[in-house]
Amino acid sequence: MIVKGLDPTSGVPLYLQVERSLQQRVDDGEWVPGQRLPTEEELGRAYGVSRVTVRQAVARMADRGVLVREQGRGTFVRDTRLTAGARWVTSFTTELAQLGHNAGSRVLGQAVVTAGEEGLPPEMQLAADARMLRLRRLRTDGSRPVGVQTALLPLDRFPGLADIDFTDRSLYQTLNERYGLVPREAVETFTVGGVLDEDAATLGVAAGAHAFYVERLTFDAHGPFEHVRSVMRGDRYRVRLALRTP
């Protein structure tokens, strides 16, 4: 296959143009995690450039962790998806750190709502007019969008929480330091669906792209204190469970 789009007169080095093209093809899912790329010779023919140019592009992508080169086997797309499984009750930041990733967060919205507006599960045991903090955040792995999470917490339990700016603050760290809260357990329910229009641009995917929908109810010693709804990109998040015989 001949790849079009390189411009030798643009002033941008050819190896950078090849790198950008390869990155786009990985992002578009042409090559999935674990799949081997064509050889340098094959890519050179496809792009109309030398093997040295291809080697520079591939080396830069390997340095960025997008590709991995294995002696005698070839070059593969690195599997950078986050793998969730049985674990302790932690924040998203701690979970990613334990997996060797660098968590990031951006506040998309912070508002006071009522429990009745949000359709909370009965386990929360809240009146319909109970005031809640709704905190909606984009969660990232480095600069890569992973999911959108919406946390709901009762303000009767956490007075003043709605006045805190969470732009650069950890929610769980704040709950611990300010209110002495220590999470004890959580129940998570996973379903699979398509990304809605309202989340697609934020997550950097097309509407309808595969995603995990996760509902989490988190408890401390006094009962449930948090309900979280998450939409996690299916190409950057997966769940693995170990099963044993009784």
Side-chain angles (χ1 to χ4, degrees):
M1 180 182 71
I2 303 299
V3 180
K4 298 180 180 180
L6 300 190
D7 182 1
T9 66
S10 69
V12 178
L14 286 175
Y15 72 88
L16 285 180
Q17 295 186 52
V18 173
E19 179 186 358
R20 291 170 184 172
S21 176
L22 292 175
Q23 181 68 64
Q24 188 62 55
R25 294 169 74 178
V26 170
D27 291 343
D28 290 344
E30 181 175 341
W31 298 308
V32 299
Q35 183 174 348
R36 185 171 61 186
L37 267 64
T39 65
E40 291 177 356
E41 183 177 356
E42 291 169 334
L43 288 172
R45 286 199 301 267
Y47 282 101
V49 298
S50 69
R51 290 180 62 181
V52 173
T53 298
V54 172
R55 189 174 297 123
Q56 284 181 284
V58 169
R60 286 170 56 87
M61 294 179 72
D63 288 342
R64 291 192 289 110
V66 178
L67 303 177
V68 58
R69 293 185 289 187
E70 298 184 10
Q71 185 69 32
R73 296 191 63 224
T75 301
F76 297 81
V77 178
R78 184 186 296 275
D79 191 347
T80 57
R81 292 173 294 179
L82 305 177
T83 301
R87 60 196 188 279
W88 300 108
V89 181
T90 62
S91 66
F92 179 82
T93 301
T94 302
E95 179 184 348
L96 260 67
Q98 291 172 345
L99 294 170
H101 295 264
N102 182 27
S105 181
R106 175 162 62 89
V107 175
L108 301 174
Q110 184 171 334
V112 175
V113 297
T114 64
E117 294 176 60
E118 297 298 326
L120 295 172
E123 291 90 340
M124 291 290 287
Q125 299 180 354
L126 294 170
D129 61 353
R131 297 171 68 249
M132 311 285 295
L133 169 66
R134 181 175 64 200
L135 180 61
R136 187 168 182 264
R137 293 172 291 176
L138 171 67
R139 313 314 296 264
T140 62
D141 175 11
S143 61
R144 304 185 323 143
V146 175
V148 173
Q149 292 186 328
T150 302
L152 292 150
L153 299 101
L155 291 176
D156 281 352
R157 178 85 189 274
F158 307 111
L161 189 64
D163 300 323
I164 297 174
D165 182 358
F166 285 98
T167 301
D168 297 309
R169 291 180 66 98
S170 162
L171 174 61
Y172 271 31
Q173 184 176 349
T174 300
L175 292 175
N176 177 259
E177 293 177 351
R178 184 161 179 167
Y179 304 97
L181 182 137
V182 178
R184 289 286 184 87
E185 62 178 321
V187 177
E188 293 185 338
T189 303
F190 288 77
T191 56
V192 176
V195 175
L196 300 178
D197 290 342
E198 62 197 67
D199 295 320
T202 302
L203 289 172
V205 297
H210 296 304
F212 287 106
Y213 283 81
V214 189
E215 293 218 16
R216 169 167 161 162
L217 193 61
T218 318
F219 300 77
D220 71 348
H222 303 287
F225 69 87
E226 175 196 47
H227 184 249
V228 182
R229 301 185 183 107
S230 303
V231 184
M232 311 299 286
R233 281 183 52 157
D235 61 339
R236 292 183 177 168
Y237 193 83
R238 63 181 177 179
V239 179
R240 181 172 60 200
L241 299 175
L243 306 179
R244 295 182 175 86
T245 57

